[in-house]
Amino acid sequence: MPTWDIFCRVIDNYGDLGVCLRLARDLAQRGDRARLWCDDLSPLAWMQPAPVERLSCRPWHDSESAAPGDVVIETFGCELPAPFVAAMAARPARPVWINLEYLSAEGYVERSHGLKSPQFSGPGAGLDKWFFYPGFTERTGGLLRERGLIDSVEAHDGAAWLGARGWAPEPGERVLSLFAYPHAPLDELVQALGPGWRLLLCPGAPQTALPPLLRAGQRATALPALTQADYDRLLWSCDLNLVRGEDSFVRAQWAGRPMLWQIYFQDDGAHGSKLEAFLDQSLADAPTSLRSNWAALSRAWNRLGPWTAEAAQALRELPAAASHAAAWRAKLSGQLDLTAALQAFARRAGGA
Ligand code: TRH
């Protein structure tokens, strides 16, 4: 049973920790031992309050006196503590050292996935670091998808789950979840949605900014921070999910429901080409009108394009978007998942 050390620095928001927690938990649930080292463990109080067998979550600095396990995952270039790297280099059986990168559908991902970076200086001199890229194709590391996930989504009774929490739509009403950054164009969204919506607002700025903007026939409810497992169930229950960043974005794709992604904004504008690459890949097999309407809506929601008639039309064609979301999910779920890909990679590289 190999031991995995997963290192995470919280830059802002919760995405980095959210991804690391899912990976660590998935490894533990598959029978490996996982240690998650993080510089801010406080969000775990709501993301994962219950203990998980074989998973331990520890403060970053405690790693400085720890003996490295068989596989070490440095996430998103977080730079491991030097004493830990020195201990890796001194270990008789060298651990496999993997840098797990951010998710993107851009072409560089396939080209860079699995590349080796030999370390010539510093405490890790003599070790190799491997670059591992999640992605949407067989030539990447894939996406986190725990065993049995799609069966759980399909067995889920969304109406009952929402009803038990007081979040169910009235007859004839549709329901959406909204998890968004403060700069989201909320006024344009509620205008384009039209009447007949219950909006479930996840924690964040929209909980106060959106209610005054509501149009006739719309109502909003502020949700508390949910556990990751319950956030997933929320996504499985809604007619439309507005998600952001990286982890909620992936989970919404597994929900197999229409999804609108607010990409993480980058000052240099790099998020524009990242969004286009995802739209190109995920909508490639969609009917032409759905493809152009949904792309227009996605650009508008990210302030990368105007709120055109096409963008508004996308929201009137949710049944077509739902069929496409299910087809896209079926395509993705035919690929190897990220945890299994990492396990296979680590075995080949000699650590697990
Ligand atoms: O936190 P995010 O906005 O995005 C991240 C970070 O900003 C990060 O720095 C950036 O590099 C990356 O995006 C691209 O959104 P994300 O990724 O969806 O992470 C949110 C996590 O919070 C995810 O694991 C789901 C979880 N969550 C809950 O557990 N309960 C909740 O109620 C909600 C709303 C989210």
Side-chain angles (χ1 to χ4, degrees):
M1 177 200 301
T3 296
W4 297 66
D5 287 304
I6 299 166
F7 282 82
C8 173
R9 268 189 209 279
V10 174
I11 312 278
D12 57 3
N13 306 316
Y14 318 112
D16 296 353
L17 181 57
V19 170
C20 293
L21 171 64
R22 279 201 203 272
L23 170 61
R25 190 173 52 215
D26 198 17
L27 286 162
Q29 286 172 344
R30 292 177 197 221
D32 290 355
R33 253 191 308 264
R35 298 188 292 193
L36 174 56
W37 305 96
C38 182
D39 61 350
D40 180 8
L41 291 165
S42 59
L44 295 183
W46 47 273
M47 272 188 191
Q48 178 64 52
V52 176
E53 213 183 324
R54 292 182 294 278
L55 166 63
S56 67
C57 300
R58 305 182 184 190
W60 177 277
H61 286 295
D62 287 5
S63 66
E64 290 173 9
S65 54
D70 306 289
V71 190
V72 178
I73 310 274
E74 176 175 351
T75 58
F76 315 123
C78 68
E79 213 175 305
L80 303 183
F84 192 84
V85 177
M88 287 163 63
R91 193 179 189 258
R94 299 277 177 85
V96 176
W97 182 2
I98 295 172
N99 189 72
L100 179 65
E101 285 293 343
Y102 286 113
L103 172 63
S104 173
E106 289 161 292
Y108 72 85
V109 167
E110 287 190 352
R111 291 193 296 278
S112 314
H113 177 58
L115 292 185
K116 179 165 78 172
S117 164
Q119 306 294 297
F120 295 113
S121 59
L127 294 173
D128 290 326
K129 179 157 45 168
W130 300 89
F131 285 89
F132 201 93
Y133 283 80
F136 303 92
T137 68
E138 292 287 3
R139 295 173 64 188
T140 69
L143 299 172
L144 281 170
R145 186 183 79 244
E146 59 272 23
R147 287 181 180 150
L149 173 64
I150 307 301
D151 291 343
S152 303
V153 181
E154 280 173 354
H156 176 74
D157 183 341
W161 191 86
L162 290 172
R165 282 154 189 80
W167 302 336
E170 296 290 337
E173 212 180 24
R174 281 165 300 171
V175 62
L176 65 77
S177 74
L178 188 145
F179 180 40
Y181 297 117
H183 60 276
L186 300 175
D187 194 43
E188 291 87 338
L189 174 75
V190 291
Q191 173 67 29
L193 279 170
W197 280 97
R198 180 165 199 179
L199 292 82
L200 301 178
L201 309 179
C202 294
Q207 285 195 338
T208 43
L210 192 141
L213 305 172
L214 288 171
R215 306 301 203 259
Q218 300 175 343
R219 60 190 176 127
T221 305
L223 304 190
L226 304 175
T227 62
Q228 264 189 342
D230 270 346
Y231 179 65
D232 285 355
R233 293 186 190 103
L234 174 73
L235 298 174
W236 306 348
S237 307
C238 289
D239 299 296
L240 172 65
N241 292 306
L242 290 97
V243 291
R244 70 183 208 190
E246 177 157 332
D247 187 58
S248 57
F249 165 57
V250 172
R251 303 311 286 186
Q253 291 171 73
W254 295 135
R257 306 285 175 112
M259 175 214 71
L260 196 51
W261 179 33
Q262 189 184 21
I263 195 166
Y264 184 75
F265 178 86
Q266 286 168 274
D267 289 332
D268 60 1
H271 57 288
S273 37
K274 189 169 170 177
L275 176 69
E276 291 303 324
F278 173 70
L279 294 174
D280 281 352
Q281 213 163 92
S282 62
L283 295 170
D285 299 331
T288 315
S289 69
L290 180 76
R291 191 162 64 227
S292 60
N293 294 347
W294 209 261
L297 177 64
S298 301
R299 291 182 196 117
W301 180 235
N302 283 286
R303 296 192 184 278
L304 292 164
W307 282 84
T308 56
E310 277 188 312
Q313 182 60 22
L315 290 168
R316 284 183 216 109
E317 293 174 342
L318 286 184
S323 313
H324 179 66
W328 173 240
R329 179 179 72 179
K331 185 170 179 181
L332 291 178
S333 56
Q335 298 174 3
L336 192 64
D337 68 86
L338 185 116
T339 303
L342 273 171
Q343 287 177 317
F345 189 87
R347 269 194 302 274
R348 279 198 304 274

